[in-house]
Amino acid sequence: MIWMHAIIVFLCLCSIHTAFGQDCPSRQEMQSSLKQVQKLVSAHEAAYLQSLRTLRKKLNLLQSTAAKANNGTCLKLDAPANSRKLGRAQTPGHEVHFICDPGYELVGAESRVCLESLTWSGQQPTCRAFVTMTNTSAALSAPSVTLGSFVRPSRCTQVQGTTHCTCDPGYTISGRDSTTCIDIDECELFHMGQAGRLCLHSCVNTPGGYRCSCPSGYNVTRDGRNCKDIDECATRLTNCTRDQMCINTYGGFQCVRVDCPRIRNATYSQTSPLRCERNPCSVDNKLCPQAPNSISHHYLSVVSNLSAPRTMFRVSALRPMGDTLRFSLLSRGQARRHFIVQRSDRQTGQLVLVRPVQGPAVLEAEVEMSELDKRVLLARYITKVTMFISQYEF
């Protein structure tokens, strides 16, 4: 096109020269002028391409900087006008969904995924309003039609002679009848989506939406998806008596009472709510020194199927009197299957869970720490650890 313009310009100049009695430029002069025009056009084209390259580099740099500043998440994605967004996660692999308000139809993709490049897939959709509204929907005009809360009539519009029907948020057009809307079962639709389950415990489908529920002893958290344990002991929602201690557990509570042991050759006194100590032994009682010097009680609340191996409790001597400390597990049965006792340093032993426990269950383990001097027993200390294991893993 530029060449044609240049030729036309030279033809016009030739006509002007002829009209005034001047000679038309020679062929050589015209070729020289056209080469100059070609160089000028090439220079403009090169400058334009360089500008595009520079602009592209700046855009890529800006996008990379924004992604790094976003700490590994995609930028927050707002819902289009006249719509609502389902899903809040912005990490790679998660997706969000868009539902238009009544009277609008979605134009574009109804979901977008956060990619590994920290950008959203596809283009942002829009919600387009219908031009005219009509109340001539067949579902509304049908006589004596009773629709449940999970079925609603659609809203139909006419645009240029074509009828379009849409549904309220949370509903979709029935496959059999475009004038009928059926509820979307979000619990089933998003049960195992890329964004994970909608609810940590249980999802309850409702007309036009859903809600999450938790088992007894838990409350739904502020995000509406997770479950949080209720501390019944703190809220005093218990039936524990005055001589009992309330132990909060996951999903419930336990009322416990510590009783000092009654054995034949020694007596004990309760020195704290969780500890009993042996009274001084008489000189003529040779069996009394062999009884435990103290018995301590500890209670742990853990979730079901806790990963193993895992240290659950530690026992240590602050000021050992002898030259040797020994740690051992006195328990039998279930405790032997799930626990071992091992030394972590010279003065400390630890109770280790070696096999996960399926709840609900209660496990009791007794750890003995013995002090010896030149192989002669100086003292024994018993620590009783009771674990209340919940039914659920969260």
Side-chain angles (χ1 to χ4, degrees), residues 178-340:
S178 62
T179 61
T180 302
C181 296
I182 59 174
D183 172 65
I184 298 174
D185 190 345
E186 292 86 356
C187 299
E188 180 66 25
L189 182 62
F190 304 114
H191 177 65
M192 294 300 292
Q194 292 183 348
R197 297 167 55 189
L198 286 178
C199 302
L200 179 66
H201 178 65
S202 178
C203 180
V204 180
N205 186 50
T206 60
Y210 72 94
R211 64 178 176 85
C212 296
S213 66
C214 295
S216 177
Y218 295 85
N219 282 333
V220 180
T221 55
R222 290 184 178 181
D223 62 7
R225 296 181 57 186
N226 297 296
C227 297
K228 181 181 180 180
D229 173 62
I230 300 173
D231 189 346
E232 292 86 356
C233 298
T235 57
R236 298 183 179 180
L237 299 175
T238 69
N239 55 358
C240 298
T241 60
R242 290 185 177 180
D243 60 341
Q244 292 178 324
M245 180 180 299
C246 181
I247 305 296
N248 183 61
T249 63
Y250 287 103
F253 66 94
Q254 294 285 336
C255 297
V256 300
R257 184 176 65 182
V258 173
D259 294 322
C260 293
R262 296 181 180 180
I263 59 178
R264 183 175 180 180
N265 300 311
T267 59
Y268 289 84
S269 298
Q270 190 166 353
T271 56
S272 71
L274 298 175
R275 183 180 177 88
C276 295
E277 295 187 1
R278 190 187 68 196
N279 295 322
C281 298
S282 60
V283 177
D284 58 343
N285 191 343
K286 297 182 179 180
L287 296 178
C288 178
Q290 299 179 7
N293 293 59
S294 67
I295 301 175
S296 301
H297 296 260
H298 298 273
Y299 301 93
L300 305 178
S301 178
V302 298
V303 297
S304 181
N305 289 319
L306 196 65
S307 61
R310 181 186 295 263
T311 300
M312 304 302 299
F313 199 84
R314 289 185 172 89
V315 180
S316 62
L318 297 179
R319 294 182 296 274
M321 296 181 294
D323 55 16
T324 305
L325 280 177
R326 290 180 181 174
F327 300 92
S328 59
L329 181 65
L330 301 182
S331 305
R332 299 179 179 179
Q334 289 284 348
R336 286 279 180 181
R337 294 179 54 193
H338 295 280
F339 296 106
I340 62 170

Side-chain angles (χ1 to χ4, degrees), residues 160-176:
Q160 297 179 353
T162 303
T163 301
H164 297 271
C165 297
T166 60
C167 301
D168 291 340
Y171 291 81
T172 185
I173 294 291
S174 171
R176 298 180 179 179

Side-chain angles (χ1 to χ4, degrees), residues 60-74:
N60 292 336
L61 179 60
L62 180 61
Q63 184 178 11
S64 176
T65 303
K68 291 180 180 178
N70 210 27
N71 295 326
T73 60
C74 289

